[in-house]
Amino acid sequence: MKQGIPEIIKLFKFASKGLIFSQQYQVRDFPRISKLTSKQDSAVDVELSFALEGRIPCVKGKVKLDLALTCQRCLDEVNVHLEPKFKLAFLHNEQQGEGLSESFETILNSEEEFSTIEFITDEVLISVPMTPMHEHECVSYQDDTPLIEEKRKSPFAILKQLKTKE
Ligand SMILES: [Zn+2]
């Protein structure tokens, strides 16, 4: 049975019980995401399911949200629909991941408990386009000045970048 998502994720505990949660939030519930958008009451649907793979706690998740971002071409508002999905395995060390299905993204993590909001925020921010733009030609000239990419500072995001560079 699905239930609302607790504020704190208790990783091993939830995984060993195979808990499934779903909840509808608003963008305003995620301070770091809400800074990017003007529509604070836009819905954020989240589903998380926890399971153990051997002794490794894993989380599968789905998030759906709409963000009103700034178009990097015309600087007007552009509505971007995002549906980040993730399948994460939380490892204490690299060796633990041997034999784990390749479909899992691995994260080195020794925390048993962490903030649900921060966790979801990290997964959403990875999926936000660096340079959101209207699909149509919203301005007639092409500005070829390169945009400065903002570096993401979340530890989850940084670990993932390291893992995907192999
Ligand atoms: Zn535009």
Side-chain angles (χ1 to χ4, degrees):
M1 208 182 90
K2 286 181 185 176
Q3 44 189 323
I5 307 177
E7 277 175 46
I8 299 291
I9 288 175
K10 295 175 180 163
L11 191 56
F12 200 81
K13 197 174 162 194
F14 290 179
S16 58
K17 290 182 178 168
L19 296 182
I20 298 173
F21 301 101
S22 76
Q23 187 161 332
Q24 185 171 78
Y25 297 89
Q26 289 187 335
V27 164
R28 74 173 87 249
D29 297 322
F30 303 87
R32 284 189 286 143
I33 300 172
S34 69
K35 275 193 266 180
L36 303 174
T37 178
S38 52
K39 292 205 180 86
Q40 298 298 312
D41 56 355
S42 180
V44 181
D45 291 305
V46 182
E47 273 181 49
L48 296 177
S49 62
F50 293 80
L52 282 181
E53 292 281 324
R55 297 282 296 163
I56 302 168
C58 298
V59 185
K60 280 184 220 172
K62 247 193 305 195
V63 185
K64 275 188 205 170
L65 73 161
D66 286 291
L67 290 178
L69 302 175
T70 305
C71 171
Q72 296 304 301
R73 196 158 45 196
C74 67
L75 301 181
D76 219 338
E77 195 173 274
V78 56
N79 195 57
V80 177
H81 179 73
L82 298 172
E83 289 193 25
K85 291 191 181 81
F86 45 91
K87 200 173 166 190
L88 309 172
F90 291 82
L91 308 178
H92 286 293
N93 55 59
E94 302 267 359
Q95 291 73 29
Q96 229 194 337
E98 285 165 18
L100 187 75
S101 157
E102 300 245 322
S103 64
F104 284 98
E105 236 179 304
T106 54
I107 287 185
L108 287 177
N109 165 64
S110 53
E111 305 281 318
E112 163 62 8
E113 298 191 1
F114 45 87
S115 153
T116 303
I117 290 292
E118 292 303 310
F119 171 62
I120 297 168
T121 298
D122 288 336
E123 293 304 320
V124 170
L125 288 183
I126 292 166
S127 72
V128 174
M130 290 284 191
T131 53
M133 271 188 254
H134 288 110
E135 280 174 24
H136 59 273
E137 286 277 303
C138 45
V139 282
S140 52
Y141 68 94
Q142 292 289 324
D143 186 350
D144 55 11
T145 315
L147 290 152
I148 297 154
E149 291 192 355
E150 206 185 314
K151 287 254 163 33
R152 298 174 196 239
K153 295 209 174 66
S154 104
F156 282 132
I158 289 164
L159 270 174
K160 272 194 196 172
Q161 283 165 5
L162 291 175
K163 295 297 291 181
T164 51
K165 259 185 210 160
E166 290 164 289

